[in-house]
Amino acid sequence: MIVMKFGGTSVESAAALERVASIVKARLDRRPAVVVSAMGKTTNKLLSIAADAAAGRRSAALAQLEDLRSFHLREAEPAVLEQDRPAVRGIIEEHFQELGELVKGLGLVGELSPRSVDAISSYGERLSSAIVALAFRRQGIPTAHVDSRNVIITDGHHTQAAPLLSRTYALLADVVAPLAREKVVVMGGFIGSTERGVTSTLGRGGSDYSAALVGAGIGAKEIQIWTDVDGMLSADPTVFPGGHRVEAISFAEAAELAYFGAKVLHPATVLPAVEKNIPVLILNSKRPEAAGTRITAETTSCANVIKSIACKHRITVVNIHSTRMLMAHGFLKRIFEVFDRHQTPVDVVSTSEVSVSMTIDNTARLAVICRELREFAEVDTEENQAIVCLVGENIRHTPGVAARAFGATGGANIRMISQGASRLNLTFVVAEQDLPKVVGALHDEFFGEPAPAVSG
Ligand code: ADP
Ligand code: ASP
Ligand code: MG
């Protein structure tokens, strides 16, 4: 068995749905189980509808909901058999009826809890998975639609829920694995439910993670992430277009890249794959013949020092100064306790004799974090910064990588340089506005003549 996950752009239209069905049909001998994202930009739209509804902008919310309903009808109807059209219409109408009630309810309550955000955003994958299952029938693929909320069980940390692994794996093995031996199981990514049956989500981009969970739970031989690029590229194409496809990377490299912003893979995806040693492939649903990127436990030998450059946008640097007691016992602990109490992850940390700098991505609690830090230190913050992360196992045993990197970036102001214990990355912070220039210069330096294993 294999798992095939299709992202939002891969299922965004009737034509895309047909492409996905052909890709799956051509691989039926590998007994695929399919995980799908919401169609196109549906999740963003649902979140905007929820925000409008809770803020009392009811007519704006209802108008957007109507647009989303007609989008689903327009793309789904031609994608299914004539005889399945009443069924697909029925499914869409029923889901939008419920969404309409939720929107009205939110307007009355006037506030948006994480639990209600999940209730609304889950509809994208609930709809897409039901539609994809019917679209597969049009190409004669025997399908079984499984509601992911019955098998992916999570904690109650709504909008960022963590799966309860042993429960989830047991349900996937008992419910999905036997079905997947007979039919193509189609499930929505991103969504799950708590032990009490309340709908939850795994966080933005979480369908990749769902696919990996399903792969680990059913004992798949491979997890395929089908998206809109040819694989992991040597740089984020939205910052530096024209990067090369990376043929193969290790789980450790993929985890660093995903964590530091390579959106093509959700950072948690690698965990279940590593645990069960299942290869992950990144493939392009618009060019299914392209070889993609293969992610495995092995470190493939590669003449390039760097495999890829990731970047994380719009991060905030928090500088904490203390002339008196920085290196005093317990000072760093006190700082980290503040971030921990406010559930704010810290990405990069660097220290000097009198100061500590850290980067954060989520600034929702920044004001109160600063207030608490100021009880024992001076604090200032800098917005509009970006993290640049060079990743490659070869960094570990190649001297002079930092000199080449910083030599190439010329005039840009480079800060907070760090290299984790794994020594497979070199990470630093630059101003967001310098990012394209810096990434371009680094790409020229390290990929001027790509080795075959990187260039594909
Ligand atoms: P999906 O909807 O299929 O999950 P995503 O938008 O989440 O797709 O991820 C694919 C996108 O990731 C690409 O379109 C690209 O803009 C972005 N991306 C960022 N960094 C990289 C990288 N290093 N390699 C490939 N794509 C990247
Ligand atoms: N639909 C969800 C999102 O847009 C999950 C995903 O596509 O991975 O974040
Ligand atoms: Mg994604």
Side-chain angles (χ1 to χ4, degrees):
M1 279 187 284
I2 61 169
V3 171
M4 302 174 74
K5 176 260 169 177
F6 294 91
T9 43
S10 301
V11 292
E12 70 187 351
S13 63
L17 290 169
E18 197 177 332
R19 243 185 339 257
V20 165
S22 326
I23 292 172
V24 170
K25 194 173 180 186
R27 289 158 185 78
L28 284 181
D29 58 332
R30 300 194 69 191
R31 283 187 294 164
V34 172
V35 173
V36 292
S37 288
M39 291 171 70
K41 300 261 174 277
T42 298
T43 310
N44 285 354
K45 291 188 178 146
L46 288 169
L47 291 172
S48 146
I49 288 167
D52 276 347
R57 296 185 290 270
R58 181 169 156 172
S59 51
L62 291 176
Q64 289 188 79
L65 202 57
E66 179 49 32
D67 279 354
L68 205 52
R69 184 184 80 95
S70 40
F71 160 73
H72 277 85
L73 283 171
R74 188 175 68 237
E75 301 305 334
E77 280 192 80
V80 306
L81 285 170
E82 188 81 46
Q83 75 211 51
D84 285 334
R85 285 192 185 160
V88 88
R89 269 199 297 274
I91 289 167
I92 294 170
E93 297 300 0
E94 193 188 317
H95 283 77
F96 277 90
Q97 177 85 33
E98 290 171 21
L99 273 168
E101 316 257 308
L102 277 171
V103 162
K104 286 175 200 148
L106 277 179
L108 292 175
V109 182
E111 80 176 23
L112 198 55
S113 67
R115 181 175 159 158
S116 13
V117 171
D118 278 353
I120 293 209
S121 63
S122 69
Y123 276 84
E125 273 73 5
R126 287 157 71 177
L127 280 159
S128 65
S129 54
I131 292 168
V132 167
L134 285 175
F136 282 3
R137 278 164 54 97
R138 183 152 176 251
Q139 296 213 16
I141 303 171
T143 55
H145 180 224
V146 171
D147 187 334
S148 299
R149 295 172 301 164
N150 296 332
V151 287
I152 307 278
I153 308 303
T154 73
D155 65 12
H157 194 334
H158 285 283
T159 73
Q160 283 289 345
L164 305 178
L165 291 180
S166 51
R167 271 298 296 286
T168 298
Y169 287 156
L171 283 165
L172 287 166
D174 290 350
V175 179
V176 177
L179 257 183
R181 285 190 197 99
E182 308 293 321
K183 291 180 172 176
V184 173
V185 169
V186 181
M187 298 171 58
F190 182 55
I191 59 176
S193 75
T194 65
E195 284 179 294
R196 303 168 117 203
V198 181
T199 299
S200 55
T201 69
L202 305 178
R204 295 306 309 272
S207 293
D208 300 341
Y209 190 22
S210 306
L213 292 169
V214 174
I218 68 172
K221 293 267 174 296
E222 192 171 284
I223 297 160
Q224 301 181 346
I225 306 290
W226 290 83
T227 182
D228 60 353
V229 281
D230 276 356
M232 182 67 80
L233 304 174
S234 50
D236 181 338
T238 60
V239 177
F240 178 83
H244 314 285
R245 174 176 64 89
V246 183
E247 277 184 10
I249 53 173
S250 66
F251 285 134
E253 289 170 325
E256 295 280 351
L257 287 167
Y259 186 71
F260 285 110
K263 185 185 167 213
V264 66
L265 201 65
H266 184 280
T269 311
V270 179
L271 304 174
V274 170
E275 197 187 340
K276 304 272 158 89
N277 197 15
I278 309 171
V280 176
L281 262 79
I282 304 178
L283 296 155
N284 189 344
S285 67
K286 296 207 171 105
R287 292 186 353 108
E289 68 290 350
T293 297
R294 193 174 172 78
I295 311 171
T296 57
E298 295 114 59
T299 312
T300 37
S301 69
C302 160
N304 270 59
V305 187
I306 303 295
K307 293 272 181 70
S308 178
I309 306 164
C311 23
K312 202 160 176 173
H313 299 268
R314 287 172 294 282
I315 56 123
T316 297
V317 174
V318 182
N319 299 307
I320 302 153
H321 310 263
S322 166
T323 42
R324 281 183 300 119
M325 47 179 290
L326 181 72
M327 288 309 156
H329 162 80
F331 185 71
L332 287 176
K333 175 166 178 264
R334 241 176 128 184
I335 293 176
F336 281 112
E337 271 169 1
V338 174
F339 286 91
D340 185 42
R341 204 162 38 247
H342 297 289
Q343 297 181 0
T344 299
V346 169
D347 291 327
V348 184
V349 183
S350 75
T351 65
S352 78
E353 187 61 29
V354 292
S355 69
V356 187
S357 297
M358 7 209 144
T359 68
I360 60 169
D361 177 16
N362 178 357
T363 51
R365 313 277 300 160
L366 184 58
V368 39
I369 288 173
C370 288
R371 201 160 56 235
E372 291 184 17
L373 290 171
R374 285 194 181 108
E375 286 169 16
F376 57 94
E378 285 168 32
V379 182
D380 67 77
T381 60
E382 296 166 89
E383 284 154 18
N384 291 323
Q385 305 293 305
I387 298 173
V388 179
C389 179
L390 305 177
V391 175
E393 302 261 11
N394 283 348
I395 293 180
R396 214 183 308 223
H397 27 71
T398 312
V401 176
R404 276 179 75 187
F406 301 136
T409 50
N413 186 12
I414 303 232
R415 331 209 352 238
M416 287 186 66
I417 301 159
S418 95
Q419 187 175 43
S422 62
R423 288 167 55 219
L424 53 79
N425 71 350
L426 179 67
T427 304
F428 51 86
V429 171
V430 296
E432 178 83 38
Q433 69 199 39
D434 290 340
L435 196 59
K437 195 176 67 188
V438 167
V439 174
L442 289 168
H443 200 275
D444 287 350
E445 172 66 29
F446 288 103
F447 298 97
E449 281 177 41
V454 176
S455 66

PDB file of all heavy atoms in Angstrom, residues 5 7-9 208 226-229 231-233 235-238 261-264 308-309, ligand 1:
ATOM      1  N   LYS A   5      -1.049  11.962  -1.231  1.00  0.00           N
ATOM      2  CA  LYS A   5      -1.713  13.164  -0.714  1.00  0.00           C
ATOM      3  C   LYS A   5      -1.707  14.244  -1.793  1.00  0.00           C
ATOM      4  O   LYS A   5      -0.672  14.513  -2.410  1.00  0.00           O
ATOM      5  CB  LYS A   5      -0.993  13.647   0.549  1.00  0.00           C
ATOM      6  CG  LYS A   5      -1.544  14.949   1.113  1.00  0.00           C
ATOM      7  CD  LYS A   5      -0.700  16.138   0.733  1.00  0.00           C
ATOM      8  CE  LYS A   5      -1.346  17.464   1.044  1.00  0.00           C
ATOM      9  NZ  LYS A   5      -0.484  18.618   0.743  1.00  0.00           N
ATOM     10  N   GLY A   7      -2.519  18.229  -2.553  1.00  0.00           N
ATOM     11  CA  GLY A   7      -2.719  19.533  -1.908  1.00  0.00           C
ATOM     12  C   GLY A   7      -3.793  20.356  -2.605  1.00  0.00           C
ATOM     13  O   GLY A   7      -4.360  19.940  -3.620  1.00  0.00           O
ATOM     14  N   GLY A   8      -4.046  21.543  -2.061  1.00  0.00           N
ATOM     15  CA  GLY A   8      -5.140  22.398  -2.522  1.00  0.00           C
ATOM     16  C   GLY A   8      -5.138  22.679  -4.016  1.00  0.00           C
ATOM     17  O   GLY A   8      -6.178  22.568  -4.679  1.00  0.00           O
ATOM     18  N   THR A   9      -3.970  23.027  -4.577  1.00  0.00           N
ATOM     19  CA  THR A   9      -3.948  23.348  -6.012  1.00  0.00           C
ATOM     20  C   THR A   9      -4.183  22.098  -6.852  1.00  0.00           C
ATOM     21  O   THR A   9      -4.689  22.190  -7.966  1.00  0.00           O
ATOM     22  CB  THR A   9      -2.608  23.986  -6.448  1.00  0.00           C
ATOM     23  OG1 THR A   9      -1.561  23.265  -5.822  1.00  0.00           O
ATOM     24  CG2 THR A   9      -2.523  25.440  -6.084  1.00  0.00           C
ATOM     25  N   ASP A 208      -0.300  17.317   4.924  1.00  0.00           N
ATOM     26  CA  ASP A 208       0.910  16.500   4.738  1.00  0.00           C
ATOM     27  C   ASP A 208       1.092  15.594   5.967  1.00  0.00           C
ATOM     28  O   ASP A 208       1.432  14.415   5.852  1.00  0.00           O
ATOM     29  CB  ASP A 208       2.173  17.373   4.622  1.00  0.00           C
ATOM     30  CG  ASP A 208       2.131  18.331   3.450  1.00  0.00           C
ATOM     31  OD1 ASP A 208       1.339  18.116   2.524  1.00  0.00           O
ATOM     32  OD2 ASP A 208       2.912  19.306   3.470  1.00  0.00           O
ATOM     33  N   TRP A 226       1.756  15.033  -3.375  1.00  0.00           N
ATOM     34  CA  TRP A 226       1.579  15.615  -4.719  1.00  0.00           C
ATOM     35  C   TRP A 226       1.222  17.078  -4.575  1.00  0.00           C
ATOM     36  O   TRP A 226       0.263  17.440  -3.886  1.00  0.00           O
ATOM     37  CB  TRP A 226       0.474  14.879  -5.473  1.00  0.00           C
ATOM     38  CG  TRP A 226       0.860  13.484  -5.864  1.00  0.00           C
ATOM     39  CD1 TRP A 226       0.789  12.363  -5.079  1.00  0.00           C
ATOM     40  CD2 TRP A 226       1.404  13.053  -7.118  1.00  0.00           C
ATOM     41  NE1 TRP A 226       1.258  11.271  -5.774  1.00  0.00           N
ATOM     42  CE2 TRP A 226       1.627  11.661  -7.035  1.00  0.00           C
ATOM     43  CE3 TRP A 226       1.717  13.712  -8.317  1.00  0.00           C
ATOM     44  CZ2 TRP A 226       2.148  10.913  -8.083  1.00  0.00           C
ATOM     45  CZ3 TRP A 226       2.224  12.968  -9.367  1.00  0.00           C
ATOM     46  CH2 TRP A 226       2.446  11.585  -9.250  1.00  0.00           C
ATOM     47  N   THR A 227       2.003  17.962  -5.239  1.00  0.00           N
ATOM     48  CA  THR A 227       1.784  19.388  -5.066  1.00  0.00           C
ATOM     49  C   THR A 227       1.939  20.128  -6.384  1.00  0.00           C
ATOM     50  O   THR A 227       1.737  19.526  -7.446  1.00  0.00           O
ATOM     51  CB  THR A 227       2.712  19.903  -3.928  1.00  0.00           C
ATOM     52  OG1 THR A 227       2.491  21.268  -3.716  1.00  0.00           O
ATOM     53  CG2 THR A 227       4.193  19.669  -4.228  1.00  0.00           C
ATOM     54  N   ASP A 228       2.314  21.423  -6.331  1.00  0.00           N
ATOM     55  CA  ASP A 228       2.348  22.223  -7.567  1.00  0.00           C
ATOM     56  C   ASP A 228       3.762  22.592  -7.999  1.00  0.00           C
ATOM     57  O   ASP A 228       3.953  23.501  -8.785  1.00  0.00           O
ATOM     58  CB  ASP A 228       1.494  23.496  -7.378  1.00  0.00           C
ATOM     59  CG  ASP A 228       2.004  24.378  -6.247  1.00  0.00           C
ATOM     60  OD1 ASP A 228       2.922  23.954  -5.514  1.00  0.00           O
ATOM     61  OD2 ASP A 228       1.492  25.502  -6.087  1.00  0.00           O
ATOM     62  N   VAL A 229       4.769  21.940  -7.425  1.00  0.00           N
ATOM     63  CA  VAL A 229       6.162  22.154  -7.854  1.00  0.00           C
ATOM     64  C   VAL A 229       6.805  20.786  -8.079  1.00  0.00           C
ATOM     65  O   VAL A 229       6.286  19.772  -7.615  1.00  0.00           O
ATOM     66  CB  VAL A 229       6.984  22.947  -6.797  1.00  0.00           C
ATOM     67  CG1 VAL A 229       6.699  24.434  -6.856  1.00  0.00           C
ATOM     68  CG2 VAL A 229       6.738  22.411  -5.390  1.00  0.00           C
ATOM     69  N   GLY A 231       9.185  19.297  -6.815  1.00  0.00           N
ATOM     70  CA  GLY A 231       9.793  18.615  -5.671  1.00  0.00           C
ATOM     71  C   GLY A 231      10.348  19.666  -4.746  1.00  0.00           C
ATOM     72  O   GLY A 231       9.969  20.847  -4.834  1.00  0.00           O
ATOM     73  N   MET A 232      11.233  19.250  -3.844  1.00  0.00           N
ATOM     74  CA  MET A 232      11.939  20.229  -3.015  1.00  0.00           C
ATOM     75  C   MET A 232      12.909  20.944  -3.943  1.00  0.00           C
ATOM     76  O   MET A 232      13.678  20.284  -4.653  1.00  0.00           O
ATOM     77  CB  MET A 232      12.680  19.489  -1.894  1.00  0.00           C
ATOM     78  CG  MET A 232      13.411  20.386  -0.945  1.00  0.00           C
ATOM     79  SD  MET A 232      12.318  21.438   0.064  1.00  0.00           S
ATOM     80  CE  MET A 232      11.799  20.297   1.342  1.00  0.00           C
ATOM     81  N   LEU A 233      12.839  22.263  -3.984  1.00  0.00           N
ATOM     82  CA  LEU A 233      13.723  23.030  -4.863  1.00  0.00           C
ATOM     83  C   LEU A 233      14.878  23.608  -4.037  1.00  0.00           C
ATOM     84  O   LEU A 233      14.789  23.703  -2.803  1.00  0.00           O
ATOM     85  CB  LEU A 233      12.940  24.147  -5.560  1.00  0.00           C
ATOM     86  CG  LEU A 233      11.717  23.665  -6.360  1.00  0.00           C
ATOM     87  CD1 LEU A 233      10.911  24.855  -6.884  1.00  0.00           C
ATOM     88  CD2 LEU A 233      12.141  22.762  -7.521  1.00  0.00           C
ATOM     89  N   ALA A 235      15.779  26.517  -3.643  1.00  0.00           N
ATOM     90  CA  ALA A 235      15.396  27.721  -2.888  1.00  0.00           C
ATOM     91  C   ALA A 235      13.890  27.881  -2.999  1.00  0.00           C
ATOM     92  O   ALA A 235      13.271  27.372  -3.943  1.00  0.00           O
ATOM     93  CB  ALA A 235      16.086  28.955  -3.453  1.00  0.00           C
ATOM     94  N   ASP A 236      13.318  28.591  -2.040  1.00  0.00           N
ATOM     95  CA  ASP A 236      11.883  28.861  -2.058  1.00  0.00           C
ATOM     96  C   ASP A 236      11.547  29.628  -3.355  1.00  0.00           C
ATOM     97  O   ASP A 236      12.038  30.745  -3.555  1.00  0.00           O
ATOM     98  CB  ASP A 236      11.560  29.709  -0.817  1.00  0.00           C
ATOM     99  CG  ASP A 236      10.093  30.052  -0.696  1.00  0.00           C
ATOM    100  OD1 ASP A 236       9.378  30.015  -1.718  1.00  0.00           O
ATOM    101  OD2 ASP A 236       9.664  30.368   0.430  1.00  0.00           O
ATOM    102  N   PRO A 237      10.730  29.042  -4.249  1.00  0.00           N
ATOM    103  CA  PRO A 237      10.493  29.699  -5.544  1.00  0.00           C
ATOM    104  C   PRO A 237       9.763  31.035  -5.434  1.00  0.00           C
ATOM    105  O   PRO A 237       9.816  31.836  -6.354  1.00  0.00           O
ATOM    106  CB  PRO A 237       9.653  28.675  -6.315  1.00  0.00           C
ATOM    107  CG  PRO A 237       9.068  27.784  -5.286  1.00  0.00           C
ATOM    108  CD  PRO A 237      10.007  27.782  -4.122  1.00  0.00           C
ATOM    109  N   THR A 238       9.108  31.300  -4.307  1.00  0.00           N
ATOM    110  CA  THR A 238       8.437  32.595  -4.176  1.00  0.00           C
ATOM    111  C   THR A 238       9.449  33.702  -3.857  1.00  0.00           C
ATOM    112  O   THR A 238       9.166  34.878  -4.031  1.00  0.00           O
ATOM    113  CB  THR A 238       7.338  32.573  -3.087  1.00  0.00           C
ATOM    114  OG1 THR A 238       7.954  32.243  -1.839  1.00  0.00           O
ATOM    115  CG2 THR A 238       6.255  31.549  -3.392  1.00  0.00           C
ATOM    116  N   GLY A 261      10.738  26.941   7.004  1.00  0.00           N
ATOM    117  CA  GLY A 261       9.915  27.674   6.043  1.00  0.00           C
ATOM    118  C   GLY A 261       9.636  27.036   4.706  1.00  0.00           C
ATOM    119  O   GLY A 261       8.889  27.613   3.932  1.00  0.00           O
ATOM    120  N   ALA A 262      10.246  25.883   4.366  1.00  0.00           N
ATOM    121  CA  ALA A 262       9.940  25.286   3.059  1.00  0.00           C
ATOM    122  C   ALA A 262       8.526  24.707   3.113  1.00  0.00           C
ATOM    123  O   ALA A 262       8.302  23.566   3.507  1.00  0.00           O
ATOM    124  CB  ALA A 262      10.961  24.225   2.692  1.00  0.00           C
ATOM    125  N   LYS A 263       7.572  25.527   2.725  1.00  0.00           N
ATOM    126  CA  LYS A 263       6.149  25.227   2.894  1.00  0.00           C
ATOM    127  C   LYS A 263       5.721  23.961   2.141  1.00  0.00           C
ATOM    128  O   LYS A 263       4.666  23.393   2.412  1.00  0.00           O
ATOM    129  CB  LYS A 263       5.382  26.444   2.365  1.00  0.00           C
ATOM    130  CG  LYS A 263       3.894  26.399   2.548  1.00  0.00           C
ATOM    131  CD  LYS A 263       3.276  27.612   1.863  1.00  0.00           C
ATOM    132  CE  LYS A 263       1.784  27.455   1.734  1.00  0.00           C
ATOM    133  NZ  LYS A 263       1.285  28.109   0.510  1.00  0.00           N
ATOM    134  N   VAL A 264       6.547  23.542   1.182  1.00  0.00           N
ATOM    135  CA  VAL A 264       6.194  22.377   0.371  1.00  0.00           C
ATOM    136  C   VAL A 264       5.985  21.133   1.243  1.00  0.00           C
ATOM    137  O   VAL A 264       5.292  20.200   0.850  1.00  0.00           O
ATOM    138  CB  VAL A 264       7.259  22.169  -0.738  1.00  0.00           C
ATOM    139  CG1 VAL A 264       8.605  21.791  -0.162  1.00  0.00           C
ATOM    140  CG2 VAL A 264       6.808  21.192  -1.784  1.00  0.00           C
ATOM    141  N   SER A 308      19.582  22.871  -0.044  1.00  0.00           N
ATOM    142  CA  SER A 308      18.530  23.858  -0.303  1.00  0.00           C
ATOM    143  C   SER A 308      18.616  25.012   0.697  1.00  0.00           C
ATOM    144  O   SER A 308      19.196  24.870   1.775  1.00  0.00           O
ATOM    145  CB  SER A 308      17.161  23.178  -0.225  1.00  0.00           C
ATOM    146  OG  SER A 308      16.124  24.115  -0.427  1.00  0.00           O
ATOM    147  N   ILE A 309      18.035  26.138   0.293  1.00  0.00           N
ATOM    148  CA  ILE A 309      18.008  27.335   1.156  1.00  0.00           C
ATOM    149  C   ILE A 309      16.549  27.597   1.530  1.00  0.00           C
ATOM    150  O   ILE A 309      15.727  27.856   0.650  1.00  0.00           O
ATOM    151  CB  ILE A 309      18.547  28.563   0.396  1.00  0.00           C
ATOM    152  CG1 ILE A 309      19.942  28.275  -0.190  1.00  0.00           C
ATOM    153  CG2 ILE A 309      18.571  29.789   1.289  1.00  0.00           C
ATOM    154  CD1 ILE A 309      20.376  29.284  -1.260  1.00  0.00           C
TER     155      ILE A 309
HETATM  156  P1  ADP B   1      -0.031  22.138  -1.257  1.00  0.00           P
HETATM  157  O1  ADP B   1      -1.274  22.943  -1.347  1.00  0.00           O
HETATM  158  O2  ADP B   1       0.131  21.157  -2.372  1.00  0.00           O
HETATM  159  O3  ADP B   1       0.191  21.532   0.099  1.00  0.00           O
HETATM  160  P2  ADP B   1       1.819  24.253  -0.567  1.00  0.00           P
HETATM  161  O4  ADP B   1       1.455  25.601  -1.092  1.00  0.00           O
HETATM  162  O5  ADP B   1       1.550  23.975   0.861  1.00  0.00           O
HETATM  163  O6  ADP B   1       1.142  23.166  -1.528  1.00  0.00           O
HETATM  164  O7  ADP B   1       3.367  23.949  -0.838  1.00  0.00           O
HETATM  165  C1  ADP B   1       3.914  24.097  -2.128  1.00  0.00           C
HETATM  166  C2  ADP B   1       4.599  25.449  -2.229  1.00  0.00           C
HETATM  167  O8  ADP B   1       5.724  25.475  -1.354  1.00  0.00           O
HETATM  168  C3  ADP B   1       5.218  25.744  -3.575  1.00  0.00           C
HETATM  169  O9  ADP B   1       4.269  26.239  -4.482  1.00  0.00           O
HETATM  170  C4  ADP B   1       6.288  26.775  -3.205  1.00  0.00           C
HETATM  171  O10 ADP B   1       5.856  28.090  -3.409  1.00  0.00           O
HETATM  172  C5  ADP B   1       6.512  26.588  -1.703  1.00  0.00           C
HETATM  173  N1  ADP B   1       7.919  26.333  -1.349  1.00  0.00           N
HETATM  174  C6  ADP B   1       8.618  26.999  -0.400  1.00  0.00           C
HETATM  175  N2  ADP B   1       9.882  26.558  -0.327  1.00  0.00           N
HETATM  176  C7  ADP B   1      10.009  25.579  -1.249  1.00  0.00           C
HETATM  177  C8  ADP B   1      11.092  24.749  -1.677  1.00  0.00           C
HETATM  178  N3  ADP B   1      12.300  24.802  -1.105  1.00  0.00           N
HETATM  179  N4  ADP B   1      10.866  23.863  -2.661  1.00  0.00           N
HETATM  180  C9  ADP B   1       9.657  23.783  -3.251  1.00  0.00           C
HETATM  181  N5  ADP B   1       8.594  24.554  -2.906  1.00  0.00           N
HETATM  182  C10 ADP B   1       8.761  25.444  -1.911  1.00  0.00           C
END
